[in-house]
Amino acid sequence: MSRKHLFANEESALHEGNDASLQAASVQAATLSAQGFELPTVFHRPAVRRFNNRRQTKLICLVSAAILVAIALIGVLLMPVAMESDLSQARQAPSFEHPFGTDNLGHDMLIRTVAGLSTSIGIGLFAALVSSIIALILGTVAALGGKKADACITWLTDLMLGIPHIVFLLLISYALGKGFWGVALGVAFTHWPSLCRVIRAEVLQVKQSSYVAVARSLGRSPLYIALHHVLPAVLPQYLVGLILMFPHAILHEAAITFLGFGLPPEQPAIGIILSESMSYLSVGMWWLAVFPGLALLLVVLLFDRAGQGLRRLLDPARAQE
Amino acid sequence: MASLVARNIVKFIVLMFAVSVVTFVLVGISPIDPVQANVGQSAYASMSEDQRADLARYWGTGTPLFERYINWASAFIQGDMGTSLRFNAPVSEVLVNRSFNTLALMALAWVLSGIFGLAMGIVAGIKQGTLIDRIIKGYCFVLASTPTFWLALIVLMVFAVWLGWFPIGFSAPIGKSAADITIFDLLHHIILPALTLSVVGVANVALHTREKTIDIMESDYIRFAQARGMSRLQAARKHGLRNLALPAISLQFASISEIFGGSVLVEQVFSYPGLGQAAVNAGVGSDVALLVGITLVSAAIVFGGNLIANILYRVIDPRIKRRGDAL
């Protein structure tokens, strides 16, 4: 086997970025050197062998999504158990039996935390869906509906962003009588402005593109153009915006519940757990605050990871960052 | 210039009007009965009809929403923001007292997060791709996902309960008369909440500054400076810093809304008597006048922050300075 051929082999392996063929080439090289051939010097070879970025990103997305779905499902199943209290087990520090410890009434904190996270994910899902649909509709109308519609929607967006988010959530939750719907609708109605701006800009860009102009001069109806040209173009942005809305929605749900305007106290929720833990801080029951908060942080990070990953997959220009 | 000022004044008035209407409507449609929320079930049940009618008049539950708004608005124009039923004092007085605490807290946190964020962003940007860059980036991503109130709880637990370095709450020692409270007392009480609040604000500025620094370090003028023999660090300090500082400052102004939101949570955890805590109190106790007052003040603070940010953007970037551009 000629030297040239070996090079070509290495090179094609590198071009494909295919681990298997790279390995085959190096095995081949090893056997060749064992047979007394002189080994060629390889100048370009990745220092660390790894997955290519796209595969890695896909994997991260899938794993995060799987963990989140698992937490949500397990949480729903654990809901009845989370309500059970066992006073003989009250106030226990984390142990093998109760990894997150138990609270004043003997609730197992791990079970309560998972159940609470499941509630949070549910509310986040609902709120992000509603909010993103509002954003999609308003953003499209602002971009396509003429000057007056645009001015109105821009003003509304500015108004929404003009009141601090938490204060707005307080007001909406209060208006709806607090409780589950107070927090769910509050979070759902307040997260659309930034995505609305993105979608408006995106639609404006598509509107000015030549293929839309061609479609229009071919006599396509506005509805046809919206469904066949605008929608596919903004869909990636919409999906990414939707997923990146989750972390915000979940954090706000927890915050508003913590302040006492959200879920009722008997429901297992991270906000409730943490606001209850405040009374026991000075007694030294640190586990009541530490673990549920960490779990919430983890869920938020997972959503963020999944969203960022999806953005990379959908936007090849930024995929190698 | 004059038209610019006029336009912003009009914008501000329209905003205040809209915010007050929104707040009134939201509070007005609430199914929560302020009388029962404040008096308590058992006390309410044992009252005579006369007393109940008196209370309803006191809390204004009988009057229709529109009428209440007109009454409030006409008084507001004359400078009367109504009476806080919860604190039993004029709303303006409560607001002034509370605003001082909140503004001090926010200002301290705002400056700290700006300085830390800028420094971290520049270091990460100059050392792009190195370990320290990764650490800073990771730190920012984790922080951006951290619930503010949880962080506040942890900080409170570690530094106030365990180590005992700082007081557990309030803005001044309990049981000390107002005259005896020193500036040291106030500082001692504000440090923990302000630090917590600033830690949360760091991520945004740091990540933004990092991107900017990377752009600048790849620019021709930095390359030229290095060609003249300056080190990377020197070049960044001499030529990069002023290009980085102003955008970061304007970004900081634009993020005042978030800092205010964070202060509501932090005040609640640290029992710090500021606007945020008053807002939660007003919401729990259905104190409409106070709730409207606080919403207006918070919207005004956010408006001010955005206005300064927009002005700074124009100062920094002459390209934005277009005639008739909406500021």
Short mmCIF file of all heavy atoms in Angstrom, two decimals, chain B residues 67-122:
data_model
loop_
_atom_site.label_atom_id
_atom_site.label_comp_id
_atom_site.label_asym_id
_atom_site.label_seq_id
_atom_site.Cartn_x
_atom_site.Cartn_y
_atom_site.Cartn_z
N GLU B 67 -66.55 54.78 39.13
CA GLU B 67 -66.68 55.91 40.05
C GLU B 67 -65.45 56.00 40.96
O GLU B 67 -64.90 57.08 41.20
CB GLU B 67 -67.92 55.71 40.90
CG GLU B 67 -68.55 56.99 41.40
CD GLU B 67 -69.90 56.68 42.03
OE1 GLU B 67 -70.75 56.08 41.34
OE2 GLU B 67 -70.06 56.98 43.22
N ARG B 68 -65.01 54.84 41.44
CA ARG B 68 -63.83 54.81 42.30
C ARG B 68 -62.61 55.37 41.56
O ARG B 68 -61.82 56.12 42.12
CB ARG B 68 -63.53 53.36 42.73
CG ARG B 68 -64.07 53.05 44.12
CD ARG B 68 -63.60 51.68 44.55
NE ARG B 68 -64.34 50.62 43.88
CZ ARG B 68 -63.94 49.35 43.84
NH1 ARG B 68 -62.81 48.99 44.42
NH2 ARG B 68 -64.67 48.44 43.24
N TYR B 69 -62.50 54.97 40.29
CA TYR B 69 -61.34 55.44 39.53
C TYR B 69 -61.38 56.95 39.36
O TYR B 69 -60.38 57.65 39.54
CB TYR B 69 -61.25 54.77 38.15
CG TYR B 69 -60.03 55.23 37.39
CD1 TYR B 69 -58.77 54.79 37.78
CD2 TYR B 69 -60.12 56.16 36.36
CE1 TYR B 69 -57.63 55.24 37.15
CE2 TYR B 69 -58.98 56.61 35.72
CZ TYR B 69 -57.74 56.14 36.11
OH TYR B 69 -56.62 56.59 35.49
N ILE B 70 -62.58 57.48 39.03
CA ILE B 70 -62.71 58.93 38.84
C ILE B 70 -62.36 59.66 40.14
O ILE B 70 -61.60 60.64 40.14
CB ILE B 70 -64.15 59.28 38.39
CG1 ILE B 70 -64.44 58.67 37.02
CG2 ILE B 70 -64.33 60.80 38.33
CD1 ILE B 70 -63.58 59.18 35.89
N ASN B 71 -62.88 59.16 41.24
CA ASN B 71 -62.57 59.78 42.54
C ASN B 71 -61.07 59.80 42.78
O ASN B 71 -60.50 60.82 43.16
CB ASN B 71 -63.23 58.99 43.68
CG ASN B 71 -64.72 59.20 43.71
OD1 ASN B 71 -65.21 60.17 43.12
ND2 ASN B 71 -65.44 58.30 44.36
N TRP B 72 -60.46 58.64 42.54
CA TRP B 72 -59.02 58.52 42.79
C TRP B 72 -58.23 59.45 41.88
O TRP B 72 -57.34 60.17 42.31
CB TRP B 72 -58.57 57.07 42.58
CG TRP B 72 -57.09 56.90 42.74
CD1 TRP B 72 -56.42 56.69 43.90
CD2 TRP B 72 -56.10 56.96 41.71
NE1 TRP B 72 -55.07 56.61 43.66
CE2 TRP B 72 -54.85 56.78 42.32
CE3 TRP B 72 -56.17 57.16 40.33
CZ2 TRP B 72 -53.66 56.78 41.60
CZ3 TRP B 72 -54.98 57.16 39.61
CH2 TRP B 72 -53.75 56.97 40.26
N ALA B 73 -58.61 59.44 40.57
CA ALA B 73 -57.85 60.21 39.59
C ALA B 73 -57.96 61.71 39.86
O ALA B 73 -56.97 62.44 39.77
CB ALA B 73 -58.33 59.89 38.17
N SER B 74 -59.17 62.18 40.22
CA SER B 74 -59.30 63.62 40.45
C SER B 74 -58.51 64.04 41.68
O SER B 74 -57.93 65.13 41.72
CB SER B 74 -60.77 64.02 40.57
OG SER B 74 -61.38 63.23 41.56
N ALA B 75 -58.47 63.18 42.68
CA ALA B 75 -57.66 63.50 43.86
C ALA B 75 -56.17 63.45 43.50
O ALA B 75 -55.38 64.28 43.95
CB ALA B 75 -57.95 62.51 44.99
N PHE B 76 -55.81 62.48 42.66
CA PHE B 76 -54.40 62.30 42.30
C PHE B 76 -53.86 63.53 41.58
O PHE B 76 -52.74 63.98 41.83
CB PHE B 76 -54.25 61.06 41.39
CG PHE B 76 -52.83 60.79 40.99
CD1 PHE B 76 -51.95 60.19 41.87
CD2 PHE B 76 -52.37 61.13 39.72
CE1 PHE B 76 -50.64 59.93 41.50
CE2 PHE B 76 -51.06 60.89 39.35
CZ PHE B 76 -50.20 60.29 40.24
N ILE B 77 -54.68 64.10 40.69
CA ILE B 77 -54.23 65.27 39.95
C ILE B 77 -53.94 66.43 40.90
O ILE B 77 -53.04 67.23 40.68
CB ILE B 77 -55.29 65.65 38.89
CG1 ILE B 77 -55.29 64.57 37.80
CG2 ILE B 77 -55.01 67.01 38.29
CD1 ILE B 77 -56.43 64.65 36.85
N GLN B 78 -54.70 66.48 42.01
CA GLN B 78 -54.45 67.53 43.00
C GLN B 78 -53.34 67.14 43.97
O GLN B 78 -53.13 67.82 44.98
CB GLN B 78 -55.74 67.82 43.76
CG GLN B 78 -56.77 68.52 42.90
CD GLN B 78 -58.17 68.36 43.43
OE1 GLN B 78 -58.35 68.04 44.61
NE2 GLN B 78 -59.15 68.58 42.59
N GLY B 79 -52.67 66.03 43.69
CA GLY B 79 -51.52 65.67 44.52
C GLY B 79 -51.86 64.76 45.68
O GLY B 79 -51.00 64.44 46.50
N ASP B 80 -53.12 64.30 45.75
CA ASP B 80 -53.50 63.43 46.86
C ASP B 80 -53.60 62.00 46.34
O ASP B 80 -54.43 61.70 45.48
CB ASP B 80 -54.85 63.89 47.42
CG ASP B 80 -55.35 62.94 48.50
OD1 ASP B 80 -54.54 62.13 48.99
OD2 ASP B 80 -56.55 63.01 48.83
N MET B 81 -52.73 61.13 46.83
CA MET B 81 -52.73 59.76 46.33
C MET B 81 -53.62 58.84 47.15
O MET B 81 -53.59 57.63 46.98
CB MET B 81 -51.31 59.21 46.28
CG MET B 81 -50.43 59.96 45.32
SD MET B 81 -48.75 59.36 45.32
CE MET B 81 -48.90 57.91 44.28
N GLY B 82 -54.38 59.41 48.06
CA GLY B 82 -55.28 58.59 48.85
C GLY B 82 -54.63 58.13 50.14
O GLY B 82 -53.50 58.48 50.46
N THR B 83 -55.39 57.31 50.88
CA THR B 83 -54.90 56.84 52.17
C THR B 83 -54.66 55.35 52.10
O THR B 83 -55.48 54.61 51.58
CB THR B 83 -55.94 57.12 53.26
OG1 THR B 83 -56.37 58.46 53.13
CG2 THR B 83 -55.36 56.90 54.64
N SER B 84 -53.51 54.94 52.62
CA SER B 84 -53.26 53.51 52.71
C SER B 84 -54.03 52.97 53.89
O SER B 84 -53.81 53.38 55.03
CB SER B 84 -51.76 53.24 52.89
OG SER B 84 -51.61 51.93 53.37
N LEU B 85 -54.96 52.05 53.61
CA LEU B 85 -55.81 51.54 54.68
C LEU B 85 -55.04 50.56 55.54
O LEU B 85 -55.34 50.34 56.69
CB LEU B 85 -57.04 50.89 54.08
CG LEU B 85 -57.79 51.84 53.15
CD1 LEU B 85 -58.85 51.10 52.37
CD2 LEU B 85 -58.41 52.97 53.94
N ARG B 86 -54.06 49.97 54.95
CA ARG B 86 -53.28 48.95 55.64
C ARG B 86 -52.31 49.60 56.64
O ARG B 86 -52.16 49.15 57.75
CB ARG B 86 -52.51 48.19 54.57
CG ARG B 86 -51.84 46.96 55.02
CD ARG B 86 -52.74 45.75 54.98
NE ARG B 86 -51.94 44.58 55.31
CZ ARG B 86 -52.43 43.44 55.73
NH1 ARG B 86 -53.72 43.31 55.87
NH2 ARG B 86 -51.65 42.45 56.01
N PHE B 87 -51.66 50.68 56.20
CA PHE B 87 -50.69 51.35 57.07
C PHE B 87 -51.30 52.52 57.81
O PHE B 87 -50.63 53.17 58.60
CB PHE B 87 -49.50 51.84 56.24
CG PHE B 87 -48.64 50.73 55.73
CD1 PHE B 87 -48.93 50.10 54.53
CD2 PHE B 87 -47.55 50.29 56.46
CE1 PHE B 87 -48.15 49.07 54.07
CE2 PHE B 87 -46.75 49.26 55.99
CZ PHE B 87 -47.06 48.64 54.80
N ASN B 88 -52.57 52.80 57.49
CA ASN B 88 -53.28 53.89 58.15
C ASN B 88 -52.53 55.22 58.05
O ASN B 88 -52.36 55.94 59.03
CB ASN B 88 -53.51 53.53 59.62
CG ASN B 88 -54.80 54.15 60.11
OD1 ASN B 88 -55.46 54.86 59.35
ND2 ASN B 88 -55.15 53.89 61.36
N ALA B 89 -52.02 55.51 56.86
CA ALA B 89 -51.28 56.75 56.64
C ALA B 89 -51.46 57.14 55.18
O ALA B 89 -51.85 56.30 54.37
CB ALA B 89 -49.79 56.52 56.92
N PRO B 90 -51.22 58.41 54.83
CA PRO B 90 -51.33 58.80 53.42
C PRO B 90 -50.38 57.97 52.56
O PRO B 90 -49.25 57.68 52.98
CB PRO B 90 -50.90 60.27 53.42
CG PRO B 90 -51.08 60.73 54.81
CD PRO B 90 -50.89 59.55 55.70
N VAL B 91 -50.86 57.59 51.37
CA VAL B 91 -50.05 56.74 50.49
C VAL B 91 -48.71 57.41 50.18
O VAL B 91 -47.66 56.77 50.20
CB VAL B 91 -50.81 56.45 49.19
CG1 VAL B 91 -49.89 55.82 48.15
CG2 VAL B 91 -51.98 55.53 49.47
N SER B 92 -48.76 58.74 49.93
CA SER B 92 -47.52 59.42 49.56
C SER B 92 -46.47 59.30 50.67
O SER B 92 -45.28 59.12 50.40
CB SER B 92 -47.80 60.88 49.24
OG SER B 92 -48.61 61.43 50.24
N GLU B 93 -46.95 59.35 51.92
CA GLU B 93 -46.01 59.24 53.04
C GLU B 93 -45.37 57.84 53.08
O GLU B 93 -44.15 57.70 53.20
CB GLU B 93 -46.78 59.50 54.33
CG GLU B 93 -45.92 59.90 55.51
CD GLU B 93 -46.78 60.06 56.76
OE1 GLU B 93 -47.67 60.94 56.74
OE2 GLU B 93 -46.60 59.29 57.71
N VAL B 94 -46.22 56.82 52.95
CA VAL B 94 -45.70 55.44 52.94
C VAL B 94 -44.70 55.28 51.80
O VAL B 94 -43.61 54.71 51.98
CB VAL B 94 -46.85 54.43 52.77
CG1 VAL B 94 -46.31 53.01 52.71
CG2 VAL B 94 -47.85 54.57 53.90
N LEU B 95 -45.06 55.81 50.62
CA LEU B 95 -44.20 55.65 49.46
C LEU B 95 -42.85 56.31 49.68
O LEU B 95 -41.81 55.73 49.36
CB LEU B 95 -44.86 56.25 48.22
CG LEU B 95 -46.01 55.45 47.62
CD1 LEU B 95 -46.54 56.15 46.39
CD2 LEU B 95 -45.57 54.05 47.27
N VAL B 96 -42.86 57.53 50.25
CA VAL B 96 -41.60 58.24 50.46
C VAL B 96 -40.72 57.46 51.43
O VAL B 96 -39.53 57.22 51.17
CB VAL B 96 -41.86 59.67 50.97
CG1 VAL B 96 -40.55 60.30 51.45
CG2 VAL B 96 -42.47 60.51 49.88
N ASN B 97 -41.31 57.00 52.54
CA ASN B 97 -40.53 56.23 53.52
C ASN B 97 -39.91 55.00 52.90
O ASN B 97 -38.74 54.70 53.07
CB ASN B 97 -41.44 55.76 54.67
CG ASN B 97 -41.76 56.91 55.59
OD1 ASN B 97 -41.05 57.91 55.59
ND2 ASN B 97 -42.84 56.77 56.34
N ARG B 98 -40.77 54.26 52.19
CA ARG B 98 -40.34 52.99 51.64
C ARG B 98 -39.38 53.17 50.48
O ARG B 98 -38.47 52.38 50.29
CB ARG B 98 -41.56 52.20 51.17
CG ARG B 98 -42.51 51.87 52.30
CD ARG B 98 -42.05 50.60 52.91
NE ARG B 98 -42.78 50.27 54.11
CZ ARG B 98 -42.93 49.02 54.53
NH1 ARG B 98 -42.43 48.03 53.85
NH2 ARG B 98 -43.56 48.78 55.63
N SER B 99 -39.64 54.21 49.68
CA SER B 99 -38.79 54.42 48.50
C SER B 99 -37.34 54.62 48.90
O SER B 99 -36.43 54.14 48.22
CB SER B 99 -39.26 55.64 47.71
OG SER B 99 -40.49 55.38 47.15
N PHE B 100 -37.12 55.32 50.01
CA PHE B 100 -35.75 55.57 50.43
C PHE B 100 -35.00 54.24 50.60
O PHE B 100 -33.93 54.04 50.06
CB PHE B 100 -35.71 56.37 51.72
CG PHE B 100 -34.32 56.49 52.28
CD1 PHE B 100 -33.41 57.36 51.70
CD2 PHE B 100 -33.91 55.71 53.35
CE1 PHE B 100 -32.13 57.46 52.19
CE2 PHE B 100 -32.63 55.80 53.84
CZ PHE B 100 -31.73 56.68 53.27
N ASN B 101 -35.63 53.31 51.35
CA ASN B 101 -35.00 52.01 51.57
C ASN B 101 -34.76 51.26 50.27
O ASN B 101 -33.68 50.73 50.02
CB ASN B 101 -35.87 51.15 52.48
CG ASN B 101 -35.73 51.56 53.93
OD1 ASN B 101 -34.72 52.14 54.30
ND2 ASN B 101 -36.74 51.29 54.73
N THR B 102 -35.82 51.21 49.45
CA THR B 102 -35.71 50.44 48.21
C THR B 102 -34.69 51.04 47.27
O THR B 102 -33.88 50.32 46.66
CB THR B 102 -37.08 50.35 47.52
OG1 THR B 102 -37.93 49.55 48.33
CG2 THR B 102 -36.97 49.72 46.16
N LEU B 103 -34.70 52.37 47.16
CA LEU B 103 -33.76 53.00 46.23
C LEU B 103 -32.32 52.79 46.70
O LEU B 103 -31.43 52.54 45.88
CB LEU B 103 -34.06 54.49 46.07
CG LEU B 103 -35.33 54.76 45.25
CD1 LEU B 103 -35.60 56.26 45.16
CD2 LEU B 103 -35.22 54.17 43.85
N ALA B 104 -32.10 52.87 48.01
CA ALA B 104 -30.75 52.63 48.53
C ALA B 104 -30.31 51.21 48.19
O ALA B 104 -29.20 50.97 47.69
CB ALA B 104 -30.72 52.84 50.04
N LEU B 105 -31.22 50.26 48.44
CA LEU B 105 -30.92 48.86 48.16
C LEU B 105 -30.63 48.64 46.67
O LEU B 105 -29.62 48.03 46.30
CB LEU B 105 -32.13 48.01 48.59
CG LEU B 105 -32.03 46.51 48.44
CD1 LEU B 105 -31.00 45.96 49.38
CD2 LEU B 105 -33.38 45.87 48.72
N MET B 106 -31.51 49.18 45.83
CA MET B 106 -31.35 48.98 44.40
C MET B 106 -30.09 49.66 43.89
O MET B 106 -29.36 49.10 43.07
CB MET B 106 -32.58 49.52 43.65
CG MET B 106 -33.73 48.55 43.63
SD MET B 106 -35.22 49.26 42.93
CE MET B 106 -34.70 49.57 41.26
N ALA B 107 -29.83 50.87 44.37
CA ALA B 107 -28.66 51.60 43.88
C ALA B 107 -27.38 50.84 44.21
O ALA B 107 -26.51 50.66 43.36
CB ALA B 107 -28.63 52.99 44.49
N LEU B 108 -27.29 50.37 45.46
CA LEU B 108 -26.10 49.64 45.87
C LEU B 108 -25.92 48.38 45.01
O LEU B 108 -24.84 48.11 44.47
CB LEU B 108 -26.22 49.28 47.35
CG LEU B 108 -24.93 48.97 48.08
CD1 LEU B 108 -24.00 50.17 48.01
CD2 LEU B 108 -25.22 48.64 49.55
N ALA B 109 -27.00 47.62 44.89
CA ALA B 109 -26.95 46.38 44.12
C ALA B 109 -26.63 46.68 42.66
O ALA B 109 -25.85 45.97 42.02
CB ALA B 109 -28.27 45.64 44.21
N TRP B 110 -27.19 47.76 42.17
CA TRP B 110 -27.03 48.13 40.77
C TRP B 110 -25.56 48.46 40.47
O TRP B 110 -24.99 48.00 39.50
CB TRP B 110 -27.92 49.34 40.53
CG TRP B 110 -28.03 49.78 39.13
CD1 TRP B 110 -28.86 49.26 38.18
CD2 TRP B 110 -27.31 50.84 38.52
NE1 TRP B 110 -28.69 49.93 37.00
CE2 TRP B 110 -27.75 50.91 37.18
CE3 TRP B 110 -26.35 51.74 38.95
CZ2 TRP B 110 -27.25 51.83 36.29
CZ3 TRP B 110 -25.86 52.66 38.06
CH2 TRP B 110 -26.30 52.71 36.75
N VAL B 111 -24.96 49.26 41.35
CA VAL B 111 -23.56 49.63 41.15
C VAL B 111 -22.66 48.40 41.28
O VAL B 111 -21.79 48.15 40.44
CB VAL B 111 -23.15 50.70 42.18
CG1 VAL B 111 -21.64 50.93 42.12
CG2 VAL B 111 -23.89 51.99 41.91
N LEU B 112 -22.90 47.60 42.32
CA LEU B 112 -22.06 46.42 42.54
C LEU B 112 -22.14 45.46 41.36
O LEU B 112 -21.11 44.99 40.85
CB LEU B 112 -22.50 45.69 43.81
CG LEU B 112 -22.09 46.34 45.13
CD1 LEU B 112 -22.67 45.56 46.30
CD2 LEU B 112 -20.57 46.39 45.23
N SER B 113 -23.38 45.18 40.90
CA SER B 113 -23.50 44.21 39.81
C SER B 113 -22.89 44.78 38.54
O SER B 113 -22.32 44.05 37.74
CB SER B 113 -24.95 43.80 39.59
OG SER B 113 -25.70 44.88 39.13
N GLY B 114 -23.00 46.10 38.36
CA GLY B 114 -22.38 46.71 37.19
C GLY B 114 -20.88 46.54 37.20
O GLY B 114 -20.28 46.12 36.21
N ILE B 115 -20.25 46.82 38.35
CA ILE B 115 -18.79 46.74 38.43
C ILE B 115 -18.33 45.29 38.27
O ILE B 115 -17.46 44.97 37.45
CB ILE B 115 -18.29 47.30 39.77
CG1 ILE B 115 -18.56 48.81 39.80
CG2 ILE B 115 -16.81 47.03 39.96
CD1 ILE B 115 -18.30 49.45 41.14
N PHE B 116 -18.94 44.39 39.03
CA PHE B 116 -18.54 42.97 38.94
C PHE B 116 -18.79 42.44 37.54
O PHE B 116 -17.94 41.74 36.96
CB PHE B 116 -19.33 42.12 39.95
CG PHE B 116 -18.86 42.29 41.35
CD1 PHE B 116 -19.77 42.36 42.40
CD2 PHE B 116 -17.51 42.40 41.65
CE1 PHE B 116 -19.35 42.51 43.71
CE2 PHE B 116 -17.09 42.56 42.95
CZ PHE B 116 -18.01 42.62 43.98
N GLY B 117 -19.97 42.75 36.99
CA GLY B 117 -20.33 42.24 35.67
C GLY B 117 -19.35 42.71 34.61
O GLY B 117 -18.88 41.93 33.79
N LEU B 118 -19.02 44.01 34.67
CA LEU B 118 -18.10 44.57 33.69
C LEU B 118 -16.74 43.89 33.80
O LEU B 118 -16.17 43.44 32.81
CB LEU B 118 -17.97 46.07 33.92
CG LEU B 118 -17.22 46.86 32.86
CD1 LEU B 118 -18.00 46.83 31.56
CD2 LEU B 118 -17.00 48.29 33.30
N ALA B 119 -16.24 43.79 35.04
CA ALA B 119 -14.92 43.20 35.24
C ALA B 119 -14.89 41.75 34.74
O ALA B 119 -14.00 41.34 34.00
CB ALA B 119 -14.54 43.26 36.71
N MET B 120 -15.92 40.98 35.15
CA MET B 120 -15.94 39.58 34.75
C MET B 120 -16.06 39.42 33.24
O MET B 120 -15.40 38.57 32.63
CB MET B 120 -17.10 38.85 35.44
CG MET B 120 -16.78 38.47 36.87
SD MET B 120 -18.23 38.04 37.83
CE MET B 120 -18.91 36.75 36.85
N GLY B 121 -16.89 40.27 32.65
CA GLY B 121 -17.08 40.20 31.20
C GLY B 121 -15.79 40.49 30.45
O GLY B 121 -15.44 39.81 29.49
N ILE B 122 -15.06 41.53 30.91
CA ILE B 122 -13.82 41.89 30.22
C ILE B 122 -12.78 40.78 30.35
O ILE B 122 -12.16 40.37 29.37
CB ILE B 122 -13.27 43.22 30.78
CG1 ILE B 122 -14.20 44.36 30.38
CG2 ILE B 122 -11.87 43.48 30.25
CD1 ILE B 122 -13.82 45.70 30.94
#
